[in-house]
């Protein structure tokens, strides 16, 4: 049952890059408020904003062997996404693996477990979103799989799906929907710009969005 | 049962501003070690230190409609305080709402739920203390109430109470007690300055606070 | 049962300082993947990297009296390590205690509870690893013990053990093993440097560590 | 600041007893989906269903002294409700205190902390809803208050409020609203009986509640 | 995006019933240690052991409207499986919905949220595995979907997959794999019976499974 | 570093059995409110009350191989105590291992991880106190150690220490202190009986323990 799937299809790089620009919050709205990983996934440092195609890893608790296998499967611009088969906060990944991944063009790591060498990863500019920071080490004894469907932090992810991550967390976009989601996201961004100006000028959302009648109809009372 | 209470009494702005200067840890001590919100309430960026009058929001899980209503009730220098009616980590608040709130003079948000657009809020200098960061969006389908008494992160808060927040967390001061708490806090700060100098010079707390006899009486043994 | 143990043996200062340089992740590996405190122990600010001999404190929930007692037991270069006798997130420690501890040469605090005055501690450069940040205050009513064996964040620690802490968390090294662990850690660091260069040049861990045969033998399939 | 408030007003006993019969889920609905304590409050054994007037206790972490004080304030049919001033899972209450409380007519305990002597309490038929079960003991060193307003498991409770508790959890009813809530609850129960029969006969809620048109209007699609 | 998928394929009822007999722990082993939902999913009463085809529900936080829609989609022997779109512990389901579901032949509920009316559900013999027990009610304002793929308690589940649940938790078996998993499970059970007798007679697993050589080869030392 | 320590000293069986009778809450008080494991350690069924000498197991996350090794080290009346080297909720132990352990005279299991086959273990009368119930299986790939010092659920435990467990949780008594703790516990029990009768008769703890003067001296006010 331990397999490595090769030849994974990916979305167009230009689309992926523009998804990164749109940011997690906008993309998540643009695809109907879906795709968010759990809010316990936090970046190891502030300010990173990336997107890339998922190279997925299903790994046993306390065993990071499959990361070495996955790195060989990386294309330029990809993101490693690891889910343990049961909850584990061990530090699966550190600066040596990051060095190797960066040499292959990897843009970052999303891991529903722990990461370590935070100081080095920050200095290298290799962003990680994780459930935990932990120096507690791992083994290389048991197989897992690469590029199989996984559930990572509550979200179903397949190899080649687009991962977008920034300070707000991590969002997954189905590969086949990347173009449509990008279009919706960019339309949304344009609309927000107009609203931002009106709100900054002191207009109220109650008026811009014409909410007063609907609030009254639902029974809101001012006292 | 969905109401918006208007015309909320507030403490004097000068008192509020000096409470911000005193800081959360001192104020909490000055009012008898009471008033702290739960320690899971964390700032989205380090270094902010604010105080303001609470505009309270009771909101259903996954629904941020009432924030639009609450923004209209903001006075200059106020702080939005939101408690969901059941635990929810959704991102109720982002940069558009912050733009609107800032235009009304709002100093920050305290929310026992999630917040998003962290990068933008940080760039705007709009501080938030929250239970979670999450881009997971919300609806505008169900009413809640504004300026009613709420329980936020374990603390009972009424509209017009003074909220003080900094890197140590969030504290609430009853509106009617703001003057007395400020007096006690400033007296405390003055006393601390003297102690700080003595401690920095190497004197021990055991001697400054005359603890040795009481420790011996309780039975402490040196071996 | 409340005792203060004096005259605690310590490791050599030079060894301790080199352990700090090696860092938590390396030391933990060098001693067979043991010694880590739980991953919920987080630094109050990024970038600190310290080591020192443990002055241990066993304290009741909500009572920080024993910290004053422990400060008198500090030698230059020591680290305070506090475990409450039952889980408690109160802010046991703030800037006044830090002033006193620094005057005695203390390098930092590891506390399986809460800490406060984060802004001041950061400005002073006094690093703390804690389970929580909380301004919620404590009492001085009940005795505890100093320099007795404790369990802190899941790790058994004795007075005089070496504590190493950085952005990856906190690790304990038995005093008697400090020399051997340092030797193993430095050997490990030397080996890592070579691997880092090869990985940066694009060689794969699969080849450097000769993993391909063992993976195949265990049954990994490429599809 | 440590006070014991005496002469607390209570709701009529007959009303309280009928609230117990209605049960937590119904009462909570009858008062607009409000009043629930957090879902981590669990009964120590299944099947208990009680209501009574709250005698409230605000206690320091790890100190149960005030429970002795509160027992003197119990009237027949009352319920003890304890909130620690900061989170604590210590076993504040066991079989001796239960013996004393039962001798005063107390119907049970609601405690946002720990309880112990579970086997004995079960044998005695003294129900407890708690956050934790723990034999970890407490002190009698520090004062708290009795019959002051508290926040217990996220709900604001005043002395004399009616507490209703069963296998579904714990709910608070404001003393002044007890009559109205009871009326609404009993009306609700009557209506439910009719619905239960129709549903048991195989009719669908979609039809009984006439939901199909509203679902279609909101855009639900059958595929 | 709110859809109800009809005409879902199901596994053979006889296979499903034998999967229930095999039990969760055995089935999970038989399919390569996969398929378990998170361990926080607990039964509301001990002793239930069921299997059935999943009717899946994706519901907004705090809104149980879609359960009414899902009940119409139930076939005899099915199991309702609900995942909220963000974490929520509200009591989505109680005795009226259970009455309706039982009238349609439903065998139980698996819900990554809260349930209520525990006493009634237990008396009715309607088993539920849930993340929480809570009387906190829900709305009927917002659409979700029925019989779409969901992630429930960390496991990806599609409509028609077989759900097996007992005191050990909940496991999902892909519909297409049900026959093969059953065969492997029953073979496993047969083998376990033999081992149980040898172990009961005092033979050691070390000998039955011939572990001693492998332990020695890995370096285990007896001292 | 993987070792099995043989020839572990144990306390006298008669002392151990009387410790079981005294119960966890009393023993914990009798040894100065120390020795409790964390309150998340819960029994799989109510009513069990055992004591025995600890056979300790340090196991990697997700690997139960060492349990087979430990069973050979069991003496009649012993208790297995397992701590994973990092947090893990996998089901390390089920009915086959219990059959084997019971054949060796084992009285129960204390495990800071998961257990499975709950229905069978309950039917067999083999009690377990655990952090989780989970059918998620484990490997047999990596060594650990038996009868070495461990930290289990926050308590330091050595092989041969006495473990006492009942519905209130789990407590450890140092082997060398077993006689003294038993004496203190039995004295305590005798004293409690007298108090229980007085409290049942309606006397108040305030009077029995002569608390009124001390409360007044500390400043308690009746209003």
């Amino acid at each position: 049952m331990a397999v490595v799937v090769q030849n994974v299809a990916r979305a167009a790089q230009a689309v992926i890059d523009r998804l990164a620009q749109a940011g997690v919050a906008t993309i998540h709205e643009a695809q109907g408020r879906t795709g968010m990983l759990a809010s316990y996934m936090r970046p190891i440092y502030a300010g990173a904003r990336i997107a890339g195609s998922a190279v997925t890893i299903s790994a046993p608790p306390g065993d990071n062997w499959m990361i070495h296998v996955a790195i060989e499967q990386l294309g330029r611009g990809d993101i490693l996404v690891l889910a343990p088969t049961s909850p584990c906060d061990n530090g699966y990944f550190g600066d040596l693996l990051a060095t190797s991944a960066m040499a292959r063009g990897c843009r970052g790591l999303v891991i529903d477990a722990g990461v370590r060498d935070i100081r080095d990863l920050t200095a290298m500019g290799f962003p990680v979103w994780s459930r935990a920071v932990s120096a507690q080490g791992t083994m290389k004894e048991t197989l897992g799989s690469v590029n199989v469907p996984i559930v990572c932090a509550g979200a179903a992810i397949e190899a080649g799906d687009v991962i977008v991550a920034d300070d707000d967390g991590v969002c997954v976009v189905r590969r086949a929907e990347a173009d449509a989601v990008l279009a919706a996201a960019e339309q949304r961004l344009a609309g927000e710009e107009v609203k931002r100006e009106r709100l900054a000028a002191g207009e109220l959302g109650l008026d811009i969005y014409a909410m007063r009648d609907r609030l009254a109809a639902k029974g809101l009372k001012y006292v």
Side-chain angles (χ1 to χ4, degrees), chain A residues 27 56-57 62 66 84 119 123 157 161 168 177 191 200 217:
Chain A
I27 284 167
T56 64
I57 307 169
M66 283 304 109
R119 174 198 280 244
I157 300 177
D161 283 346
D168 287 347
E177 299 171 10

Side-chain angles (χ1 to χ4, degrees), chain A residues 39-201:
Chain A
S39 65
Y40 59 67
M41 296 295 285
R42 302 301 306 142
I44 58 169
Y45 57 84
R49 173 173 271 189
I50 64 169
S53 302
V55 169
T56 64
I57 307 169
S58 173
D63 198 303
N64 75 346
W65 205 5
M66 283 304 109
I67 300 180
H68 288 278
V69 175
I71 285 173
E72 190 177 30
Q73 305 303 318
L74 283 168
R76 302 209 76 77
D78 286 351
I79 293 178
L80 289 168
V81 184
L82 185 149
T85 53
S86 64
C88 184
D89 70 357
N90 285 180
Y92 280 74
F93 189 95
D95 75 315
L96 284 181
L97 284 167
T99 300
S100 182
M102 287 181 85
R104 309 289 289 191
C106 182
R107 292 185 173 176
L109 167 70
V110 171
I111 180 167
D112 190 4
V115 61
R116 61 186 185 178
D117 297 330
I118 298 305
R119 174 198 280 244
D120 294 329
L121 295 177
T122 303
M124 293 162 70
F126 187 86
V128 179
W129 286 257
S130 72
R131 167 188 216 123
V133 170
S134 170
Q136 177 71 38
T138 51
M139 305 290 176
K140 293 184 201 345
E141 298 279 356
T142 312
L143 298 183
S145 291
V146 172
N147 281 335
V148 294
I150 59 174
V151 173
C152 182
I157 300 177
E158 298 196 21
D161 283 346
V162 183
I163 302 296
V164 189
D166 62 21
D167 292 340
D168 287 347
V170 184
C171 190
V172 58
V173 178
R174 302 281 156 245
R175 184 179 59 83
E177 299 171 10
D179 292 1
V181 169
L182 176 61
E186 295 191 336
Q187 185 170 0
R188 205 178 161 83
L189 285 171
E192 281 183 0
E193 200 44 52
V194 177
K195 284 174 204 153
R196 186 173 292 108
E197 283 170 28
R198 292 177 65 183
L199 292 166

